[in-house]
Amino acid sequence: MENIYLPKLAVIKEIIQETPDTKTVRITINNNECIDFLPGQFGEFSFIGEGESTFGFSSSPLRKEFLEFSFRTSGRATSGMNGLNPGDMIGFRGPYGNYFDTAKMKGKNLVFIGGGIGMAPVKSILEYCIDERSNYGKITVLYGARTVSDLMYKGVMEEWKKALDTNVVITVDPSGETKDWTGRVGFVPTVLEQLPLKGDNAVAVVCGPLIMIKFVLKSLDKMGFDKENIITTLENRMKCGLGKCGRCNVGSVYVCKDGPVFTAKELEALPNDF
Ligand SMILES: Cc1cc2nc3c(=O)[nH]c(=O)nc-3n(C[C@H](O)[C@H](O)[C@H](O)COP(=O)(O)OP(=O)(O)OC[C@H]3O[C@@H](n4cnc5c(N)ncnc54)[C@H](O)[C@@H]3O)c2cc1C
Ligand code: FES
């Protein structure tokens, strides 16, 4: 019988040091293959011998040269991963979980809102929509980090800015700016409310720290976004990723299997401990 917990071996092709404590890693599985997944899904990535960590995919699934994830060094597995180099192997299980409903997004204006490392799953769905640009209306990207040195994806932001009819707004928290900073200064929900956006015919994707998500949901509500058209991801601690261990539950909902992607309307129906 197949062991569902057995990781596949993946080889690291490239590592990008995004900020002092975050890295983006590009891998291929088995023999230079790239598995199929959808934006919003996640995997269990293991630093061999130290354990697994859960990361969302940060690349577009339409770009087949590699599979990409970004991580912040926080504990045992991520500290181990922090020491790896191109050519080294890691373990991978997945893809798991549900995904962003791109059919629902077709023909709509899209607003992508990311905070900190939460920009990783946003990058995946954003780049997917850029790859299929003609299917969507106007695109707005709002990305915030605590300080200028905490901003990830500086290398690919230029590509987002060049996409057709796409407005990219980058902000850092008050006091997080440098002398030569030309972007915005302000918390993500504050800057969001200053943008000329309307909720009609629009879908918003929001990922980041829970506190940011809670305030952004309030702002989007004020701006007229329908709760069914606001989509977010939860990052509850996980172990199996497969709906077996009960580690990730919020009430009767398994975040690993029923999520991690939820609409604001679905979040409202969850007990208030997510
Ligand atoms: C669906 C999903 C997607 C995720 N995507 C990403 C991603 O793209 N990039 C990324 O850096 N992280 C992501 N995370 C969080 C990431 O899984 C944890 O930070 C990571 O597993 C820590 O691994 P570790 O072994 O190094 O830390 P551990 O030794 O397990 O923990 C180190 C510290 O982090 C805390 N911690 C661990 N897991 C979580 C969690 N889920 N939420 C809050 N605190 C936690 C612990 O309590 C401890 O204080 C995601 C989590 C989920 C559930
Ligand atoms: S992580 Fe095991 S049930 Fe969700």
Side-chain angles (χ1 to χ4, degrees):
M1 203 170 67
E2 192 199 355
N3 180 349
I4 53 175
Y5 298 106
L6 192 67
K8 293 184 165 77
L9 280 180
V11 62
I12 297 179
K13 294 289 175 184
E14 192 180 346
I15 299 175
I16 301 157
Q17 183 85 46
E18 300 280 3
T19 72
D21 63 351
T22 60
K23 283 183 174 173
T24 292
V25 181
R26 293 175 170 171
I27 58 172
T28 55
I29 315 278
N30 292 333
N31 205 2
N32 251 350
E33 287 166 23
C34 205
I35 52 138
D36 291 327
F37 70 94
L38 288 165
Q41 289 192 294
F42 64 90
E44 292 294 333
F45 297 84
S46 41
F47 174 63
I48 295 160
E50 291 294 337
E52 295 183 314
S53 286
T54 313
F55 304 128
F57 302 109
S58 59
S59 48
S60 162
L62 300 174
R63 304 181 191 185
K64 296 285 185 192
E65 319 85 82
F66 50 74
L67 186 70
E68 186 188 91
F69 64 93
S70 302
F71 72 94
R72 167 168 292 134
T73 302
S74 61
R76 195 168 163 177
T78 47
S79 297
M81 265 182 219
N82 194 34
L84 294 174
N85 293 300
D88 288 339
M89 309 291 277
I90 59 169
F92 167 79
R93 296 193 283 125
Y96 297 136
N98 69 351
Y99 38 84
F100 295 108
D101 183 352
T102 47
K104 180 166 146 179
M105 295 162 79
K106 269 198 179 157
K108 304 249 172 57
N109 295 328
L110 305 178
V111 185
F112 295 100
I113 305 162
I117 188 82
M119 194 62 194
V122 177
K123 177 177 179 290
S124 176
I125 181 71
L126 165 65
E127 292 184 348
Y128 176 91
C129 293
I130 289 175
D131 289 343
E132 302 262 277
R133 188 66 195 88
S134 58
N135 284 340
Y136 308 99
K138 187 173 171 49
I139 292 181
T140 304
V141 182
L142 172 57
Y143 172 40
R146 278 176 305 155
T147 70
V148 173
S149 66
D150 289 317
L151 283 169
M152 301 176 66
Y153 305 131
K154 294 183 189 82
V156 288
M157 266 178 208
E158 288 310 308
E159 184 201 324
W160 305 344
K161 288 179 188 167
K162 281 185 202 144
L164 191 70
D165 207 6
T166 300
N167 182 25
V168 180
V169 178
I170 312 293
T171 187
V172 294
D173 290 355
S175 305
E177 71 272 30
T178 49
K179 264 196 228 146
D180 54 352
W181 173 242
T182 54
R184 303 268 189 139
V185 177
F187 295 111
V188 168
T190 314
V191 176
L192 174 64
E193 290 188 30
Q194 293 163 356
L195 298 178
L197 296 170
K198 289 205 181 86
D200 340 323
N201 197 40
V203 171
V205 172
V206 189
C207 307
L210 205 48
I211 184 77
M212 185 205 90
I213 293 180
K214 288 186 173 174
F215 280 101
V216 165
L217 294 187
K218 283 187 187 157
S219 301
L220 289 170
D221 188 41
K222 275 198 242 168
M223 295 162 82
F225 282 77
D226 191 304
K227 287 190 170 60
E228 291 197 19
N229 290 331
I230 303 174
I231 317 172
T232 188
T233 60
L234 293 185
E235 291 201 348
N236 293 40
R237 292 209 67 171
M238 292 182 185
K239 196 165 174 68
C240 69
L242 287 159
K244 304 271 182 207
C245 71
R247 180 76 171 265
C248 65
N249 293 54
V250 183
S252 61
V253 169
Y254 287 83
V255 175
C256 67
K257 213 161 53 97
D258 305 317
V261 176
F262 295 92
T263 64
K265 178 111 183 133
E266 288 166 333
L267 285 191
E268 248 181 7
L270 294 182
N272 202 13
D273 60 353
F274 56 84

